[in-house]
Amino acid sequence: MATDARGAAAPLPRFPDGFLWGVSTSAHQIEGAADTRAPSVWDVFTAEPGRIKDGSTAAVACDHVHRYEEDVALLADLGVGAYRFSISWPRVNSPGGLDFYDRLVDALLAAGVRPVPTLFHWDLPADLSWLERDTATRFADHVAAVAARLGDRVTKWITLNEPAEHTLLGHALGTHAPGSRLLFDALPAAHHQLLGHGLAVQALRSTGADDIGIANSHGPTWPASQEPADLEAAAFYDLLLNRLFAEPVLLGAYPEGLGDLMPSPDIEADLKLIGAPLDWYGVNYYAPTLVGAPQGTEIDFGGVRMPAELPFSVREIEGVPTTDFGWPVIPAGLTELLTTFASRYGDRLPPVVITENGCSYPGLDDQDRITYLEGHVRALHDAITAGVDVRGYFVWSLLDNFEWAEGFARRFGLVHVDFTTQRRTPKASYAWYRDLLTRSPME
Ligand code: BGC
């Protein structure tokens, strides 16, 4: 909690009128009801022994498909203006699949909460692969079907969630579905997702949509020292995490040389689609990364094994608190990221929305989460004061949920879920956020 010179809690700063406060979830992590949808790559991955650390599956998860009314009531009580959720492509492919989202959207609107669906959050139908170009076209067809059904009530759309993580963890390192360990041969998965994004924007625009964004994960990359080898490694990591996914979308170009590595019959035509203007740019922010020259050893980075053969090594940031996931808590990294993006991309950066920010801690009296969130809300305001046009902030996540390869061990929710009884219990951070929203715009 920030304090003034006398140690009293400093009031939270005032945010611009119309600032959108929300919370986020994703389909595979909360929905359950796996028996009423087609399988995704995550179902296949989860079924392989040893893939999920606690041996769990998301077959039931938060049972949200059956309990969505209770979850919408929690959103209404929280007082958020918007709810970011994702639409499961395998569910849409199943009989009656869109009916669920139809009901969810109606329930949200009736509760005064704006629905903000993400059209792809990692749960690809099991028979598809992002290594194939055709998946991008299939994605656009999926998006068109969803928009045809929900577009009369949904106006704000997110195409993809974190193609960087899905490429890195799912295709390069193999710690997420589909579990491919291709290292740099994973680049086609990046290009095809970005192409899917471009085609999705085109499909949405043809329905008249004018409030479209993407949710990209970004964070400042800090060099381990000023030695040339560390600076070079950090610049390379920045290229992979930040520039590779921001620049095609914002500038219609890959960073130097990378376009030549992408599989495409006509890279210029692809980039024209990928770089079509967006109405806003979504940023998922968790922490900065300290990066140095390769050390020749495999290391554990936030639960992910980073192989020794990479041309960089991720180092521990010392002297800062960490979440129970081991992620460093550095709110000022959010200000740094946003001001860096604003100066890097100038008027090519549309208004920004923080589409995810949050942390994993156990317990109901989660003062650590309150400290984390409050620090990041203040850091966000610092970015606005510095001139960055930020229009919204979404906490990850509404509910404790299936945290991918970690299973249910990591709890990111404002609401505790007992995965045996499915009982929901709001945590202290839920009350804190509700209080913040009640006083918003804050004094
Ligand atoms: C993802 C979420 C995930 C969260 C915490 C983001 O990378 O979009 O699905 O649960 O981070 O790891």
Side-chain angles (χ1 to χ4, degrees), residues 25-26 29 84 121-122 161-162 165 169 176 217 284 286 325 327 356 358 396-397 401-404 412:
T25 63
S26 92
Q29 293 176 273
R84 174 182 173 226
H121 196 128
W122 302 353
N161 179 70
E162 298 191 356
E165 307 298 322
L169 303 179
H176 276 191
S217 67
N284 293 358
Y286 288 90
F325 218 144
W327 297 358
E356 279 182 33
W396 182 272
S397 178
N401 57 49
F402 179 75
E403 176 52 32
W404 307 114
F412 278 86

Side-chain angles (χ1 to χ4, degrees), residues 417-438:
V417 178
D418 178 324
F419 293 106
T420 310
T421 61
Q422 289 298 341
R423 181 159 177 213
R424 275 87 162 124
T425 310
K427 303 179 189 178
S429 56
Y430 175 96
W432 171 85
Y433 198 38
R434 181 171 55 189
D435 189 45
L436 181 153
L437 298 173
T438 313

Side-chain angles (χ1 to χ4, degrees), residues 52-330:
I52 308 299
K53 287 187 186 151
D54 64 2
S56 60
T57 79
V60 177
C62 305
D63 197 28
H64 170 73
V65 164
H66 300 118
R67 295 168 196 263
Y68 75 93
E69 285 167 312
E70 185 182 351
D71 295 337
V72 171
L74 283 164
L75 289 164
D77 180 50
L78 183 56
V80 282
Y83 173 50
R84 174 182 173 226
F85 59 101
S86 81
I87 292 184
S88 156
W89 187 351
R91 188 171 297 288
V92 170
N93 283 356
S94 309
L98 267 168
D99 297 350
F100 168 65
Y101 299 107
D102 215 39
R103 289 194 294 274
L104 175 63
V105 164
D106 284 345
L108 288 167
L109 291 172
V113 178
R114 189 165 185 195
V116 184
T118 305
L119 291 152
F120 176 71
H121 196 128
W122 302 353
D123 49 352
L124 191 71
D127 56 346
L128 297 181
S129 164
W130 283 114
L131 295 170
E132 304 295 330
R133 184 179 175 87
D134 183 49
T135 300
T137 316
R138 303 267 210 115
F139 179 57
D141 295 342
H142 159 68
V143 169
V146 173
R149 181 73 179 267
L150 304 180
D152 57 336
R153 286 152 292 152
V154 169
T155 53
K156 199 173 187 74
W157 299 94
I158 298 175
T159 55
L160 303 179
N161 179 70
E162 298 191 356
E165 307 298 322
H166 193 51
T167 304
L168 179 74
L169 303 179
H171 298 80
L173 302 180
T175 53
H176 276 191
S180 310
R181 200 172 182 282
L182 298 171
L183 296 180
F184 289 101
D185 291 337
L187 283 176
H191 183 66
H192 296 146
Q193 285 180 84
L194 289 166
L195 180 61
H197 157 79
L199 290 166
V201 171
Q202 190 180 54
L204 289 168
R205 291 275 183 237
S206 74
T207 69
D210 61 0
D211 196 353
I212 308 173
I214 185 171
N216 261 340
S217 67
H218 293 301
T221 304
W222 294 347
S225 80
Q226 292 305 305
E227 292 299 319
D230 286 337
L231 290 171
E232 200 183 311
F236 185 72
Y237 187 90
D238 182 48
L239 182 80
L240 286 186
L241 176 68
N242 294 317
R243 298 180 52 208
L244 174 59
F245 293 90
E247 295 183 9
V249 170
L250 298 175
L251 309 178
Y254 278 113
E256 65 271 359
L258 281 178
D260 300 339
L261 303 178
M262 299 301 179
S264 171
D266 185 347
I267 191 75
E268 290 310 319
D270 286 2
L271 283 165
K272 201 158 176 242
L273 273 168
I274 296 167
L278 288 176
D279 303 299
W280 51 276
Y281 188 76
V283 170
N284 293 358
Y285 172 77
Y286 288 90
T289 315
L290 186 69
V291 177
Q295 292 179 308
T297 47
E298 188 174 276
I299 64 144
D300 186 283
F301 172 53
V304 177
R305 304 299 302 173
M306 303 288 278
E309 59 263 50
L310 294 173
F312 55 81
S313 63
V314 175
R315 312 279 177 85
E316 192 183 327
I317 300 178
E318 287 169 4
V320 296
T322 53
T323 71
D324 88 335
F325 218 144
W327 297 358
V329 179
I330 305 176

